[in-house]
Amino acid sequence: PRDEATKHDAFQLHQHPLLLQEGDALGMGVQPAWTVDVVDLRSRSPMSSVTDRLIQGSMWLSLSRAIVNGLSALSTFVLAWYLVPADFGLVAIATTIQVILSSVTELSLNQALIRHESPSETHFSAVWTLSVTRSAILALLFAAASYPIAEFYNEPRLTSVMLALSFSLLLSGLANPRRVMLQRDLIFWQ
């Protein structure tokens, strides 16, 4: 116990068992001993653990988001440095179409795993299979649409850019669905 209690402290009263005096087998005449302990409520609150994990998780998410945005800006600067404006426009067109296609067909399977009370191996397998199937279909559609879109923009070089981006669509579906469990358990630093 500390000498001074703060506003976060509470006093707990504990009753000790009857003390037996020597020669007193029944403990007659012995009063129970009472003690007062000062307890820090901040250390006992179940919410403090969640709050600490949430604060630590938000710091890790902010750091990772800053790194991703920094790398994205760096790649944009590198592309702008090496590509002429016409080539940079081709990449912008293809990337825009890819983002729209990915956003429209998003299945939100990771959020379903997070909300599920206790996902099993079957759930993880189903999410991975659906993600791979979705990304394969998107990659094929994106690759098949590359020639008509290039004709629409009257830019034959757009075909090769879209074919390269279709490969990245295929790879995006191979992500491990178990990583969302880290997010569910507020373990953001892994």
Side-chain angles (χ1 to χ4, degrees), residues 67-135:
I67 291 171
V68 167
N69 287 342
L71 291 175
S72 176
L74 181 65
S75 69
T76 302
F77 291 141
V78 168
L79 280 175
W81 182 264
Y82 285 110
L83 298 176
V84 295
D87 293 339
F88 194 76
L90 289 177
V91 173
I93 290 170
T95 305
T96 302
I97 295 170
Q98 179 191 23
V99 168
I100 290 171
L101 187 62
S102 294
S103 298
V104 169
T105 61
E106 181 63 41
L107 298 177
S108 300
L109 297 173
N110 291 337
Q111 286 78 10
L113 279 177
I114 290 173
R115 292 189 54 98
H116 196 282
E117 190 172 317
S118 59
S120 66
E121 187 64 34
T122 307
H123 295 107
F124 291 116
S125 296
V127 166
W128 190 82
T129 303
L130 287 171
S131 295
V132 168
T133 304
R134 174 187 167 267
S135 66

Side-chain angles (χ1 to χ4, degrees), residues 19-75:
L19 300 174
L20 296 176
Q21 293 179 349
E22 194 173 319
D24 188 1
L26 298 176
M28 306 278 296
V30 176
Q31 298 296 321
W34 293 86
T35 60
V36 177
D37 293 334
V38 178
V39 179
D40 188 355
L41 291 178
R42 290 173 294 188
S43 64
R44 296 196 49 155
S45 171
M47 290 305 289
S48 68
S49 143
V50 173
T51 303
D52 292 343
R53 287 179 17 203
L54 192 59
I55 290 170
Q56 185 179 19
S58 65
M59 289 185 337
W60 279 106
L61 280 177
S62 298
L63 178 66
S64 69
R65 182 46 75 199
I67 291 171
V68 167
N69 287 342
L71 291 175
S72 176
L74 181 65
S75 69

Side-chain angles (χ1 to χ4, degrees), residues 85 130 136 161 170:
L130 287 171
V161 173
L170 181 63

